[in-house]
Structures are given as structure tokens and as C-alpha cells.
């Protein structure tokens, strides 16, 4: 298998009629020994599907590398991966000793940007990995969301939505990364803004198998100050502290109806008034009071 791969490498050199071909002035393509290649510590991808990796390795063993990986030259005997770590790992599994690669001259400041841009286009990064890579670029290299939008061909709102995922509690981020929930669930949870509630709803999604639409409905109710029932539990939103004039109104209503009236209000100004009753007689009394107000 290794002999077949080396033969392909020599065929590539013969086809190009030179050992090293300049592609863009700052890049070249060549056959590089795997032992000289190191992974990029800032690589956005953190996990690799082992089944998919084995399938790629089998394909490489049979037909070779279709698309060269991209490397940064550190020295004559050392290269760092900019894009293509998955192909690199699969080539190792396939028993290859070398791999075709584009060699780029890149500053440290550009390596992460190049890795992100190339991998987003070519690899199936999960949402959290993408968000972390975006954040790394924005913070470490001083890029704006507008500049990043131009570089990767994504709308600025798309980038902003990914970055908002990093505001979620760690258990929710892990669930998103492990594909227990999808991007739609996560985006709905972000709007809650209360970490405890976000974790509670996340747990309900896992237990009840809620759809994105169902989670959006639950979040909407909680955002409006309403409690929701899920399975056998009741989930109540964090109560906003009522302004003094609201407390006075609550007391006046309680006195008027001779019962403990409940008044709730969300941070957005939405809320409700509840008039409790303990039996039918008390309900009739309250209705009687309401009827007198109509006259």
C-alpha cells in the first residue's frame, strides 16, 4: 500500500515536471513525510468521528489522497497543519509514509485564521467548535465581526448567533457538541438569559425529547413570566422584582377582593394578575364583585 502511494507521489512530480511548484508565490505543493508533520494546537476541530475516520483511511488506502492538505513550513524537517488534520490522521491509519501537501508561508498571526477559514469550508465542525474558533479570531487577532464575515463569506448575524452559544451553561454547550440537542434548541435557550432555567429546560429536552418548536413555546412562556409544566414538574421563571407602585397595586387588589391577589411581571414588562379562590362559594363572591363593576 505504501509503495502504491509513493508511486502516486512520483507520478505527481512527473506530471508537474518539477519537484516543487509555486502556486501563489507564497505557496507550493510537494510530497511531505508524515513523520515531519505536527498538528496545529489551535486547530478548531477537537473531536473526530472514528468510524468516519476509518472509512476515509480505507478510501485513502485504495485510491490515495484526492485533495492535498495545507501545511505551514516551520523548518526543513518540520511542518504544521493549517488544514487537513482529518486527512493526515486517516493517512497514518492507512499506513502511508508521505502525503501531498500545499506548503504555505504564513505568520503565526495568520495560521489560525487560515485554519478556521479552510476547515469551515471543508470539515464538519460542530457548532461549539465553530463558535470557539470565531471567538479566538476576534479576541486574539483583533478582527471585527464584519471583517470575519468578509473573510469566511458568512453573514455577520450568523457569526453573532454562533458566538451567543458560548453564553450558554457548560452542560448545554456539551449537549450541543455531543449532538444531544441541535442549533435550534440552543438558540432558543440563549434567549432565556437565566443559566438555571437554561439547564432545567435542557434536561427536559433530553427527558421528553422536545422539538425545537416546543422549546421555543416553553421559552416564550417563561420569558413572559408564566410557569410551564413539563412531564411531572413545574418550571417557574425567575421573578422580576416588582416596582413599588406595582406592589401597592397588588395590595389594593388583594384588599378589594379580600383574597391574596398575585401580580407578576417579567423584565420586558409583561405579566398577569391572578385572583385565587379556595371553593365555589368564594368564586361566586369574586364573580359578584366583578359583576358590580359592570354597572
Amino acid at each position: 500500500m505504501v509503495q502504491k502511494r509513493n508511486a502516486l507521489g512520483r507520478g505527481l512530480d512527473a506530471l508537474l515536471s518539477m519537484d516543487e511548484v509555486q502556486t501563489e508565490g507564497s505557496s507550493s505543493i510537494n510530497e511531505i513525510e508524515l513523520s515531519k508533520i505536527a498538528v496545529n494546537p489551535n486547530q478548531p476541530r477537537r473531536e473526530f468521528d472514528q468510524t468516519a475516520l476509518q472509512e476515509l483511511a480505507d478510501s485513502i488506502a485504495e485510491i490515495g489522497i484526492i485533495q492535498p492538505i495545507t501545511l505551514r513550513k516551520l523548518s526543513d524537517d518540520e511542518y504544521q497543519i493549517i488544514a487537513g488534520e482529518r486527512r493526515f490522521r486517516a493517512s497514518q491509519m492507512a499506513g502511508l509514509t508521505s502525503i501531498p501537501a500545499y506548503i504555505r508561508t504564513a505568520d503565526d498571526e495568520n495560521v489560525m485564521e487560515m485554519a478556521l477559514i479552510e476547515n469551515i469550508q471543508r470539515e464538519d465542525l460542530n457548532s461549539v467548535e465553530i463558535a470557539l474558533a470565531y471567538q479566538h479570531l476576534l479576541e486574539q487577532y483583533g478582527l471585527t465581526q464584519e471583517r470575519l464575515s468578509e473573510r469566511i463569506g458568512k453573514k455577520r448575524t450568523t457569526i453573532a448567533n454562533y458566538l451567543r452559544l458560548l453564553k450558554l451553561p457548560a452542560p448545554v454547550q456539551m449537549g450541543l457538541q455531543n449532538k444531544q440537542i441541535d442549533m435550534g434548541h440552543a438558540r432558543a435557550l440563549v434567549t432565556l438569559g437565566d443559566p438555571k432555567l437554561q439547564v432545567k429546560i435542557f434536561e427536559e429536552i433530553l427527558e421528553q425529547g422536545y422539538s425545537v418548536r416546543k422549546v421555543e413555546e416553553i421559552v416564550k412562556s417563561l420569558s413572559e413570566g408564566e410557569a410551564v409544566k413539563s412531564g411531572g414538574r413545574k418550571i417557574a421563571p425567575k421573578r422580576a422584582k416588582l416596582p413599588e407602585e406595582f406592589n401597592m397595586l397588588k395590595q389594593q387588589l388583594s384588599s378589594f377582593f379580600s383574597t391574596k391577589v398575585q401580580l407578576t411581571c417579567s423584565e420586558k414588562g409583561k405579566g398577569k394578575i391572578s385572583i385565587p379562590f379556595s371553593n365555589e362559594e368564594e368564586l361566586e363572591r369574586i364573580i359578584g364583585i366583578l359583576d358590580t363593576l359592570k354597572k
Side-chain angles (χ1 to χ4, degrees):
M1 205 64 65
V2 173
Q3 292 179 348
K4 177 180 179 179
R5 190 65 203 90
N6 288 338
L8 178 58
R10 290 195 298 274
L12 180 62
D13 288 339
L15 177 65
L16 297 174
S17 301
M18 59 181 70
D19 293 333
E20 190 173 48
V21 177
Q22 295 297 320
T23 57
E24 294 180 349
S26 61
S27 302
S28 62
I29 185 172
N30 205 355
E31 194 83 9
I32 303 298
E33 294 177 19
L34 293 179
S35 60
K36 296 181 179 181
I37 300 173
V39 299
N40 180 358
N42 287 324
Q43 163 65 265
R45 175 176 288 278
R46 298 292 181 224
E47 298 178 1
F48 296 86
D49 185 307
Q50 291 302 309
T51 300
L53 201 60
Q54 185 59 59
E55 290 176 355
L56 179 59
D58 294 341
S59 173
I60 290 174
E62 183 178 355
I63 63 177
I65 292 289
I66 300 299
Q67 183 181 40
I69 67 173
T70 305
L71 303 176
R72 172 190 178 221
K73 186 173 182 179
L74 301 178
S75 67
D76 289 340
D77 295 319
E78 188 177 7
Y79 298 83
Q80 186 181 79
I81 297 174
I82 293 176
E85 184 175 340
R86 184 167 173 268
R87 280 163 283 164
F88 167 72
R89 290 176 181 271
S91 296
Q92 289 179 314
M93 293 171 64
L96 305 188
T97 58
S98 62
I99 189 173
Y102 295 114
I103 312 300
R104 289 191 177 178
T105 303
D107 298 342
D108 286 336
E109 295 151 5
N110 295 328
V111 172
M112 180 60 186
E113 184 177 2
M114 293 165 65
L116 171 65
I117 293 169
E118 296 209 22
N119 279 284
I120 281 180
Q121 304 301 330
R122 301 175 186 176
E123 307 287 354
D124 184 25
L125 295 176
N126 66 55
S127 300
V128 175
E129 287 173 327
I130 293 175
L132 287 169
Y134 285 165
Q135 184 184 57
H136 183 94
L137 284 169
L138 294 172
E139 292 181 354
Q140 185 163 338
Y141 304 122
L143 294 177
T144 63
Q145 289 188 16
E146 288 77 11
R147 173 58 177 159
L148 186 57
S149 171
E150 293 172 0
R151 290 289 290 161
I152 65 176
K154 300 284 186 181
K155 293 181 179 179
R156 192 193 64 78
T157 52
T158 299
I159 294 172
N161 283 334
Y162 274 108
L163 291 172
R164 291 176 71 200
L165 299 178
L166 300 180
K167 296 179 180 179
L168 290 167
V172 183
Q173 289 192 43
M174 290 296 294
L176 180 59
Q177 181 169 288
N178 296 333
K179 299 181 180 180
Q180 293 174 294
I181 61 173
D182 62 33
M183 184 78 163
H185 291 112
R187 288 181 62 179
L189 291 176
V190 165
T191 61
L192 272 177
D194 182 346
K196 290 184 179 179
L197 273 182
Q198 289 168 334
V199 172
K200 284 182 181 178
I201 302 303
F202 167 66
E203 292 172 348
E204 292 302 300
I205 294 172
L206 300 185
E207 291 179 13
Q208 307 297 330
Y210 287 146
S211 66
V212 172
R213 183 181 294 276
K214 177 64 175 178
V215 174
E216 290 173 342
E217 292 174 355
I218 292 174
V219 168
K220 184 175 184 294
S221 296
L222 291 171
S223 298
E224 294 177 351
E226 299 178 5
V228 297
K229 290 184 178 180
S230 177
R233 71 194 289 196
K234 181 179 180 181
I235 301 175
K238 182 180 180 181
R239 301 298 183 188
K241 186 176 181 180
L242 290 176
E244 184 57 33
E245 58 269 26
F246 276 48
N247 279 318
M248 291 178 62
L249 175 60
K250 178 181 176 181
Q251 292 172 8
Q252 290 174 355
L253 289 170
S254 296
S255 177
F256 181 78
F257 287 102
S258 298
T259 187
K260 193 174 181 180
V261 172
Q262 297 295 326
L263 192 157
T264 60
C265 182
S266 72
E267 294 180 356
K268 296 181 180 179
K270 295 182 179 181
K272 63 181 179 180
I273 298 173
S274 301
I275 306 174
F277 55 89
S278 56
N279 51 52
E280 289 186 11
E281 289 75 14
E282 191 169 1
L283 173 60
E284 289 178 0
R285 181 183 64 79
I286 293 172
I287 292 175
I289 295 175
L290 293 174
D291 284 341
T292 62
L293 298 176
K294 296 179 181 179
K295 298 177 181 179

